[in-house]
Amino acid sequence: MDWPGWENLAAHLEGLAVTLPRKPSGIVIMSGHWETPIPTVTTAEHPALIYDYYGFPEHTYALKYPAPGSPTLASHAQALLQKKGIACQGDAARGFDHGVFIPFLLAFPDADIPVVELSMSASLDAAQELRVGQALEPLRDNNILIVATGMSYHNLRQFMSGGTQTDHTSVQFDTWLRNTIELPPQERNQRLLAWETAPGARICHPREEHLLPLMFAAGAAGNDPGTCTYNDTVMGKALSGFRFG
């Protein structure tokens, strides 16, 4: 792949698998590209890909990522959500959006780990995503990797304009986010739920769908600490990635 300006992120993703203690038995992932009224999991054995992007080179619409789904893992996830009183459902027709297959093409290129995608709430409720993550924390005891994809900065108008007027703001928000993730878990979660009070929050996230998967991951982390494992400046904007446990 050609990743002009994003080489450091690509290298980070390519080196991710070797940092894990063992190969995951399965993956549950929430991306910033699927919203539903209630939490929904993919249940297909062989999910297709959804090319939910526009104006990219022709070859990007021929990418393949034939990772299997897992109806069993999807059923387990639904049972855990229901146990916590969270209504949920399965979707046998839904495929993987680019928030799944683009990073996984780099991080897990063999496409041999079963993947289940989980939607976020259409209400964009940060507390709801934290609760969903907390409900699914027990999956980690079964060697299931919990993944959240999005962006720590997602103001596409500023990205594409090439302007620099929000560069300082992106650094302010990114610094707040990194400091928050490294707090003790209870304080971390309280601050994440108040993310709109962070400096530059609504400039960096005019709409929060690319930030909320982080709440899901933080919830699933339980009492595990969080650390910043990726930090870069891309197109003048500060970006970070995080890991728990």
Side-chain angles (χ1 to χ4, degrees):
M1 292 184 185
D2 186 18
W3 291 72
W6 299 85
E7 294 87 356
N8 291 338
L9 177 56
H12 170 69
L13 292 171
E14 289 171 341
L16 181 63
V18 298
T19 70
L20 300 176
R22 66 191 67 85
K23 182 177 179 179
S25 300
I27 298 173
V28 173
I29 178 170
M30 177 183 288
S31 90
H33 294 275
W34 187 22
E35 301 170 24
T36 58
I38 63 173
T40 304
V41 292
T42 56
T43 61
E45 291 187 4
H46 302 286
L49 300 189
I50 303 172
Y51 301 99
D52 53 337
Y53 40 78
Y54 307 94
F56 285 82
E58 185 175 350
H59 75 273
T60 63
Y61 300 93
L63 294 171
K64 304 296 180 186
Y65 192 73
S70 176
T72 300
L73 177 55
S75 178
H76 190 185
Q78 290 181 78
L80 289 171
L81 290 168
Q82 291 165 351
K83 184 178 179 180
K84 293 297 185 180
I86 301 173
C88 57
Q89 64 185 6
D91 188 333
R94 171 79 185 189
F96 298 143
D97 57 62
H98 79 271
V100 178
F101 69 83
I102 293 296
F104 280 9
L105 278 166
L106 296 172
F108 305 105
D110 293 338
D112 59 351
I113 302 173
V115 177
V116 169
E117 185 174 1
L118 169 68
S119 69
M120 75 174 72
S121 171
S123 64
L124 300 181
D125 183 349
Q128 167 78 351
E129 304 314 338
L130 188 72
R131 288 192 296 269
V132 168
Q134 290 169 337
L136 296 187
E137 181 188 356
L139 291 176
R140 299 172 61 205
D141 295 332
N142 296 327
N143 195 34
I144 302 302
L145 182 66
I146 305 292
V147 177
T149 67
M151 288 185 73
S152 58
Y153 179 98
H154 197 254
N155 185 329
L156 291 184
R157 177 170 295 181
Q158 293 298 331
F159 256 132
M160 301 307 175
S161 70
T164 61
Q165 59 267 41
T166 62
D167 289 3
H168 178 63
T169 303
S170 77
V171 172
Q172 287 183 309
F173 181 76
D174 193 76
T175 300
W176 178 92
L177 195 58
R178 286 188 284 119
N179 290 340
T180 296
I181 291 299
E182 293 174 356
L183 289 170
Q186 184 173 358
E187 187 177 358
R188 171 187 76 206
N189 293 347
Q190 289 175 344
R191 290 241 303 181
L192 283 175
L193 293 182
W195 72 271
E196 289 181 89
T197 66
R202 277 299 178 186
I203 296 175
C204 297
H205 291 277
R207 191 173 187 272
E208 57 264 48
E209 82 286 349
H210 273 67
L211 181 66
L212 292 190
L214 179 61
M215 317 303 178
F216 163 67
N223 290 320
D224 283 349
T227 57
C228 178
T229 55
Y230 164 79
N231 181 251
D232 197 10
T233 300
V234 179
M235 298 169 66
K237 308 299 184 280
L239 297 180
S240 288
F242 307 98
R243 177 171 175 169
F244 300 93

